[in-house]
Amino acid sequence: MCCSHGSLLLFFLFPLYNPFYQSHKNRPNTSVTRPYISVIRADMFSLVLFVSLQTILLAHVHDFDRHLLNTVHKPTFYEGYCDGDPAVYSYHIHLLFWGNNKDHVNSALELREQFIEKFNLQDKKCDISPADPAPGHEMCAFGVDLAPAGPFTTAQYAFFIPPDRLQETSMWMLQHRGVHDVFIHPNSGCAVYDHTKWNTFAGDKWPVDVSVFPPL
């Protein structure tokens, strides 16, 4: 619905305050047809003006909403920000595997499909950068890297996890990882610490190349 109850009320009341409507309403009734035509024209003018005003207002509301989404949740960095207790906006669950071992690749990709089916991510590919904490974004699946990429020194893939889904998703992955290694980290905007101080491994601990991240 594009109009609230208040907007509908405004639509019906607006002609009563329209000067064109008032002028014709107070004019002596010299004919039967002309006053009604004038009132109809006044109502049409009111409708056009009302729609125009509402379109402008809705545009400003949408701009304000986009402004909030782009600003209110992003961390405001200051000196020492990452040395305090920054907010955690989301998590990544990575599965790390041997990209030069065919059996490992096949089982890792099979596990990815199982995770996607388990948590209904078939049509939810991540449309965000892995570097984006993306507060409020829904769970989604990133692509597969069959060779080292970014900070990771082996093949891997990842899932974007909202905070309220971390427990169920991480537990499932830990229970089903098999021979592979799991790397879980928060997304606070402090990428170096997210991947080195506040992370956790299950299985072998792989080195992470944090030189790809901006310095703190």
Side-chain angles (χ1 to χ4, degrees), residues 38-51:
S38 299
V39 170
I40 292 173
R41 288 177 177 172
D43 286 342
M44 290 297 295
F45 173 82
S46 301
L47 176 60
V48 172
L49 183 59
F50 170 79
V51 172

Side-chain angles (χ1 to χ4, degrees), residues 94-109 144-148 152-157 177-182 202-207:
H94 295 263
L95 190 86
L96 286 68
F97 56 96
W98 297 354
N100 59 353
N101 183 304
K102 184 177 179 180
D103 291 336
H104 278 223
V105 171
N106 289 338
S107 63
L109 296 180
V144 180
D145 292 321
L146 294 177
F152 298 101
T153 54
T154 187
Q156 65 88 35
Y157 56 77
R177 68 181 181 86
V179 299
H180 307 299
D181 308 307
V182 176
D204 291 336
K205 185 176 181 179
W206 290 80

Side-chain angles (χ1 to χ4, degrees), residues 121-142:
L121 302 180
Q122 290 86 348
D123 299 321
K124 297 180 180 177
K125 296 180 180 180
C126 292
D127 57 357
I128 54 176
S129 166
D132 187 354
H137 199 283
E138 63 182 353
M139 193 190 316
C140 59
F142 289 106

Side-chain angles (χ1 to χ4, degrees), residues 21-160:
Y21 179 88
Q22 294 292 341
S23 63
H24 286 295
K25 185 184 73 170
N26 298 327
R27 184 178 297 175
N29 189 8
T30 58
S31 67
V32 175
T33 305
R34 290 181 60 187
Y36 286 102
I37 294 176
S38 299
V39 170
I40 292 173
R41 288 177 177 172
D43 286 342
M44 290 297 295
F45 173 82
S46 301
L47 176 60
V48 172
L49 183 59
F50 170 79
V51 172
S52 300
L53 288 173
Q54 183 154 353
T55 301
I56 294 171
L57 288 173
L58 286 176
H60 283 292
V61 169
H62 292 161
D63 287 342
F64 181 68
D65 289 342
R66 285 195 295 270
H67 176 73
L68 284 179
L69 289 174
N70 290 333
T71 58
V72 70
H73 294 296
K74 289 184 177 179
T76 301
F77 289 102
Y78 51 85
E79 186 176 356
Y81 173 83
C82 292
D83 294 322
D85 298 313
V88 172
Y89 299 102
S90 58
Y91 292 84
H92 287 170
I93 295 178
H94 295 263
L95 190 86
L96 286 68
F97 56 96
W98 297 354
N100 59 353
N101 183 304
K102 184 177 179 180
D103 291 336
H104 278 223
V105 171
N106 289 338
S107 63
L109 296 180
E110 181 179 353
L111 181 60
R112 183 176 185 270
E113 292 303 315
Q114 292 173 359
F115 187 98
I116 287 173
E117 182 177 358
K118 171 68 176 179
F119 296 103
N120 300 315
L121 302 180
Q122 290 86 348
D123 299 321
K124 297 180 180 177
K125 296 180 180 180
C126 292
D127 57 357
I128 54 176
S129 166
D132 187 354
H137 199 283
E138 63 182 353
M139 193 190 316
C140 59
F142 289 106
V144 180
D145 292 321
L146 294 177
F152 298 101
T153 54
T154 187
Q156 65 88 35
Y157 56 77
F159 298 98
F160 177 91

Side-chain angles (χ1 to χ4, degrees), residues 151-186:
F152 298 101
T153 54
T154 187
Q156 65 88 35
Y157 56 77
F159 298 98
F160 177 91
I161 309 295
D164 62 340
R165 305 296 302 275
L166 177 64
Q167 182 174 358
E168 59 175 325
T169 53
S170 60
M171 182 58 66
W172 189 95
M173 185 61 83
L174 294 176
Q175 292 175 335
H176 295 82
R177 68 181 181 86
V179 299
H180 307 299
D181 308 307
V182 176
F183 177 63
I184 303 173
H185 68 83

